[in-house]
Amino acid sequence: MCASLHRTARSIFTHFLSPRHRYSCSSTPFHLIYSKPIIQFTKKMSISALSATEAAKLIETSKRLAAFQAVKDYLLPIYTHIGIGSGSTVVYVVEAIAALGPSVTSGMTFYPTGAQSEELIEAAGLNLQYINKLPPNKFLDVAFDGADEVDGELNLIKGGGACLWQEKIVATAAKQFVCVADFRKLSERLGTSWTKGIPIEVLPMAAPRVLGELKAMGSLEPKIRPGLPGKAGAIVTDNGLWIIDAPFKPLRLNGEESKEGEWKVDELADRLIKIPGIAEIGLFYGKNGLQAQGGGAQKPIAAYFGMADGSVEVKKA
């Protein structure tokens, strides 16, 4: 559940804001911090060859690199309404924002997607507000969030932390949605590296019938996500609903030849959201903020990936 991440995220965030790690305005510019990876990783190496500790450090460093660069590029001082997503990468997004200092952030208001990002915003001393308080005729200037997987067209799978409905609400309320991730999340097709399945938020009473529909559509062993080890039974979202994880064969991109048993991203998303009992799906697809002027877009206008070699790769719409 999304809320289950907030204690761990807060401890990580507090660690990086401790005096030992705190950014100083007189030091190296914040977007250059950790410009080199902790581990000197080369293209000839495989992350599987690293120890668990080394691999974890490399991944966290790559997340931080991407977050700091994305904030540098897309958080303009004139912005006043900013969306903050959920997940481990967002810890570093908030860290990068806080590093700008009150002279920049005091005029900004930050809108979380769940309990984790709410606590991160408060711990950083940033101005907190909720998306239901944003007037209907207003839009967020920008929203930052992570992803479980990103394909070649910047379609996303999100919902690994069970916050997908709130994340989609905040993303579509923004003029610009910027995705921040590490190198493991970049795939040519959705469902290639993220094999746990597309997260689907569902009404509990409808879950058995939804499972049957998913199987009929070709989903490979869809399952209700368990709450274990912290909770017996199904995981419960911040909305009081359940999550079904529905694996499918890797999803086709636009223009690719159709193959038996494969769905195109837009086609599958349209079919899933029409199943009675499904509240929201973890496919972020369709238009981006450049195509849907004034909000309503699910896809990011840019995706930042911290790479294993210490660089940041940017994919733009």
Side-chain angles (χ1 to χ4, degrees):
M1 182 167 62
C2 181
S4 69
L5 294 172
H6 78 280
R7 287 185 295 273
T8 300
R10 184 178 185 181
S11 65
I12 295 173
F13 183 71
T14 302
H15 171 68
F16 278 106
L17 287 186
S18 67
R20 182 179 177 182
H21 293 278
R22 187 169 294 144
Y23 167 78
S24 168
C25 291
S26 61
S27 63
T28 304
F30 74 87
H31 63 282
L32 297 180
I33 297 174
Y34 286 166
S35 59
K36 295 181 180 180
I38 294 174
I39 299 150
Q40 295 304 309
F41 193 90
T42 68
K43 291 182 179 180
K44 293 181 179 180
M45 295 173 64
S46 168
I47 191 171
S48 61
L50 302 176
S51 70
T53 300
E54 289 173 333
K57 287 180 179 180
L58 181 64
I59 290 166
E60 293 307 308
T61 300
S62 68
K63 292 177 183 178
R64 194 168 190 264
L65 284 166
F68 272 69
Q69 189 64 48
V71 169
K72 173 182 177 288
D73 291 348
Y74 279 97
L75 186 62
L76 303 185
I78 60 172
Y79 287 169
T80 55
H81 301 286
I82 297 94
I84 300 294
S86 308
S88 58
T89 307
V90 173
V91 173
Y92 303 112
V93 170
V94 176
E95 182 196 348
I97 293 170
L100 296 171
S103 62
V104 175
T105 61
S106 60
M108 298 175 174
T109 303
F110 298 86
Y111 297 77
T113 59
Q116 178 215 11
S117 46
E118 176 182 347
E119 191 160 342
L120 288 172
I121 291 166
E122 289 185 315
L126 303 173
N127 300 320
L128 174 69
Q129 188 52 275
Y130 300 100
I131 197 67
N132 63 313
K133 300 298 183 182
L134 188 70
N137 60 336
K138 296 284 187 181
F139 294 96
L140 303 176
D141 295 299
V142 65
F144 298 95
D145 205 350
D148 298 310
E149 191 172 27
V150 186
D151 74 11
E153 294 177 345
L154 298 190
N155 298 299
L156 311 179
I157 289 179
K158 290 176 56 57
C163 291
L164 58 103
W165 199 355
Q166 294 99 307
E167 289 171 344
K168 191 167 286 190
I169 289 170
V170 170
T172 56
K175 296 176 184 177
Q176 306 172 94
F177 168 30
V178 177
C179 180
V180 185
D182 64 80
F183 57 92
R184 302 170 301 161
K185 308 302 177 66
L186 180 58
S187 296
E188 184 58 34
R189 287 167 151 219
L190 297 183
T192 302
S193 60
W194 182 261
T195 57
K196 296 178 182 179
I198 298 167
I200 299 171
E201 193 158 357
V202 62
L203 193 68
M205 67 175 291
R209 296 197 65 82
V210 171
L211 286 171
E213 291 264 10
L214 292 170
K215 291 176 183 176
M217 293 171 58
S219 178
L220 312 171
E221 298 186 19
K223 296 178 181 178
I224 297 169
R225 188 182 299 179
L228 295 173
K231 175 188 176 297
I235 196 168
V236 179
T237 71
D238 289 352
N239 308 307
L241 304 182
W242 289 359
I243 295 288
I244 289 175
D245 292 304
F248 284 86
K249 291 182 179 180
L251 305 183
R252 291 186 289 114
L253 303 176
N254 286 317
E256 285 190 332
E257 183 180 349
S258 176
K259 295 181 181 179
E260 185 178 355
E262 291 184 351
W263 288 84
K264 194 166 72 172
V265 176
D266 290 17
E267 294 172 344
L268 178 60
D270 182 67
R271 178 68 182 87
L272 290 174
I273 201 63
K274 290 177 179 177
I275 297 176
I278 289 181
E280 192 51 85
I281 62 174
L283 287 174
F284 284 54
Y285 67 103
K287 294 182 178 180
N288 60 56
L290 301 176
Q291 298 166 324
Q293 296 294 321
Q298 298 185 21
K299 286 170 61 173
I301 61 169
Y304 283 70
F305 301 92
M307 306 305 288
D309 63 1
S311 64
V312 176
E313 185 171 332
V314 184
K315 301 285 188 181
K316 293 190 176 182

